[in-house]
Amino acid sequence: MTMTITGYSNTTNQALKAWVEEVTRMCQPARVHWCDGSRAEHDRLCEEMVSHGAFTRLNPQLRPGCFLARSHASDVARVEDRTFICSKRPEDAGATNNWADPDEMRARLKGLFQGSMRGRTLYVIPFSMGPLGSPVAKIGIEITDSPYVVVNMGIMTRMGKPVLDALDSGSFIPCLHSVGAPLEPGQPDDYWPCEPDKDKKYIVHFPEEPSIWSYGSGYGGNALLGKKCLALRIASVLARREGWMAEHMLILALTSPKGKKYYIAAAFPSACGKTNLAMMQPTLPGWTVRCLGDDIAWIRIGADGHLYAVNPEYGFFGVAPGTSDKSNPHAMATITRNSIFTNVALTPEGDVWWEDIGKPPPPQMIDWEGNEWTPGCGRPAAHPNARFTAPAAQCPVIDPDWEKPEGVPISAFLFGGRRPSTIPLVNEAFSWEHGVFLGSAAGSETTSAALGKAGVLRRDPFAMLPFCGYQMGDYFAHWISMAQRTDRSKLPRIFFVNWFRKNKDGKWLWPGYGENSRVLKWICERIDGSGRATATPIGNLPAPDALDLSGMSMNPEDLRQLLAVDVPGWKNEVEDIDRNYAKLNHHLPPALKQQLDDLRRRLESA
Ligand code: GTP
Ligand code: SPV
Ligand code: MN
């Protein structure tokens, strides 16, 4: 059979050529296209998707270069229970991951991929995580049968010809993706092809190869394989081996009124405020925030001993609902053009709408499922995990150094999550080990970013529960070991924050968003040694009046609750942390067991 091959396939990389040929034989696509990453290619693919109903072009006057996609109702978020780490030994995946035997899994996947691209185009996507040519960058090649994936990867990564040229004969991480919906001759295509049966979706990692195989889903982290699969699950394995860190963290630069710049990296679980904090507009006068990344940080020890962070991504895949000119004006400005919206509502003018966008809905719209929607009909118009895909360079507060190959030096790590009770607004760790303890013990209510019930409290250590590609206890030990790899005084300070405390009526105790700058200011003062704190059994809390609340009205009782040590609540925490630690068996670092015992003792005498 002769196969039409288009695009930029000018490579002498024999391993790559052989892999593409092997996958082509297995998946039996109708055509092969090597992506060059050009604007013309992007426009052509978007146009093709418009012509068969996969994309709706938004009003070019209102949102030039923007498109709406609606996914299949079964395919709206990451599928954690279909995500596998196939290390040779189950113990290397650990109790927090789904493990499957690599040989058995490979055989099962080969069965699924056999003929899976019939009637479709196989796209070869060369992409770089990290600035091209940076010593930290990793090149991946994603093969996919989804043009939606191609155009999203084009925004989320550095993609196409320059990457293939830079790869030369070097090594790459193979990432194979199929939506799992072959087309028979004459069969019309679906607007969102996928495998609707959740139990036939597979998001699989072979960390020792390394390689990634993803089948059946076209959505987000399931399908844009550079993101969670490569830059977190596989990268976390490489990072441990090579002595660096791959973290689910935003990176921001905060400049004080005196002109001092602080770089902060923060790990919050999915849909817990990273994008918002990363580009926030401080309400405190004189302070500015610049964004370097909103989801992933690759961190290395620099020649001067400080920890340097690079954002491996090139775009934002952000939660749409809740994004407004009030909550996140810089995200709103970022998504005015050249953006893809998935599972939001469509207004009669051809613009987008979602819950809490900051303006009332029009009297009639098309909801995320393509149905007529009227206000008060009882259904959300946008899916709670509706997302925008937008180029990072379009963010009006992108930091000028965001593509610096060596990254930026981090002064503080923040951990956090959605905790309606117990956990204070901000808490500073006593030491590196205590900070690692706080990260390892992080908990959060689940959100719509993953399939399953939202609002259930679970431990999500370092916000990495769904993204750590190896044994969680060994990951904790890797964090602890950073203190042996550099001068302790150069390590970032560690803080735990919680924007999500609620009162008895279920209302937020803290206004959040731009007001979080008040907490960041105290953190900077702690770094400088000027911020006042009170040592408590759980950590250093802001001393009375140490938080700058000028110009804001805060009920004193609310503030008291936000900064109180809830001793009975923390005693329950300790027991829950203990139960979760027990799952790690002998992989739990003794230093963390010690931290837990110390906390228990401090609470007993509180
Ligand atoms: P992922 O992209 O899934 O990793 O999410 P994320 O961590 O980037 O979360 P994001 O910033 O998109 O916020 C998710 C939701 O939390 C949105 O609906 C926000 O409006 C809401 N949110 C963010 N920051 C705050 C805050 O400070 N307070 C409150 N109450 N809600 C917030
Ligand atoms: C997350 O769930 O943390 C995300 C969205 O950033 S996804 O890319 O789908 O993983
Ligand atoms: Mn995320």
Side-chain angles (χ1 to χ4, degrees), residues 78 227-228 248 250 267-278 294-295 317-324 327-328 355-356 384-385 387-388 418 447-450 467 498-501 508 510-516:
R78 285 183 294 101
K227 194 174 177 60
K228 306 302 183 172
H248 190 200
L250 67 91
F268 309 152
S270 303
C272 292
K274 288 183 301 302
T275 302
N276 277 270
L277 190 66
D294 82 327
D295 200 49
F317 186 62
V319 177
T323 309
S324 69
S327 66
N328 194 346
E355 278 64 29
D356 296 317
N385 192 39
R387 299 256 170 181
F388 53 78
R418 287 179 185 260
T447 66
S448 305
F467 308 121
N498 179 21
W499 318 138
F500 297 95
R501 278 295 284 271
W508 303 120
W510 178 251
Y513 304 104
E515 302 289 15
N516 295 334

Side-chain angles (χ1 to χ4, degrees), residues 58-130:
L58 296 173
N59 185 331
Q61 256 82 54
L62 302 172
R63 288 199 197 260
C66 291
F67 298 87
L68 164 69
R70 295 190 192 101
S71 81
H72 190 272
S74 72
D75 200 25
V76 292
R78 285 183 294 101
V79 281
E80 293 184 358
D81 55 350
R82 304 304 303 159
T83 299
F84 297 87
I85 303 294
C86 296
S87 47
K88 289 198 183 78
R89 303 187 319 155
E91 201 173 335
D92 292 334
T96 61
N97 279 311
N98 301 311
W99 178 84
D101 177 82
D103 293 330
E104 281 171 28
M105 181 57 89
R106 215 173 283 109
R108 190 178 321 164
L109 289 170
K110 280 184 176 165
L112 289 168
F113 275 91
Q114 189 66 42
S116 73
M117 298 187 184
R118 275 201 309 272
R120 299 190 181 281
T121 304
L122 178 157
Y123 299 93
V124 182
I125 311 172
F127 66 95
S128 172
M129 299 313 290

Side-chain angles (χ1 to χ4, degrees), residues 254-308:
L254 182 66
T255 306
S256 73
K258 289 193 184 127
K260 184 165 177 196
K261 202 165 183 178
Y262 306 79
Y263 295 101
I264 296 176
F268 309 152
S270 303
C272 292
K274 288 183 301 302
T275 302
N276 277 270
L277 190 66
M279 49 185 87
M280 95 123 80
Q281 170 107 64
T283 51
L284 277 180
W287 291 77
T288 55
V289 163
R290 291 290 174 267
C291 174
L292 292 103
D294 82 327
D295 200 49
I296 301 179
W298 284 359
I299 303 161
R300 279 166 204 265
I301 300 171
D304 62 2
H306 288 278
L307 268 55
Y308 282 76

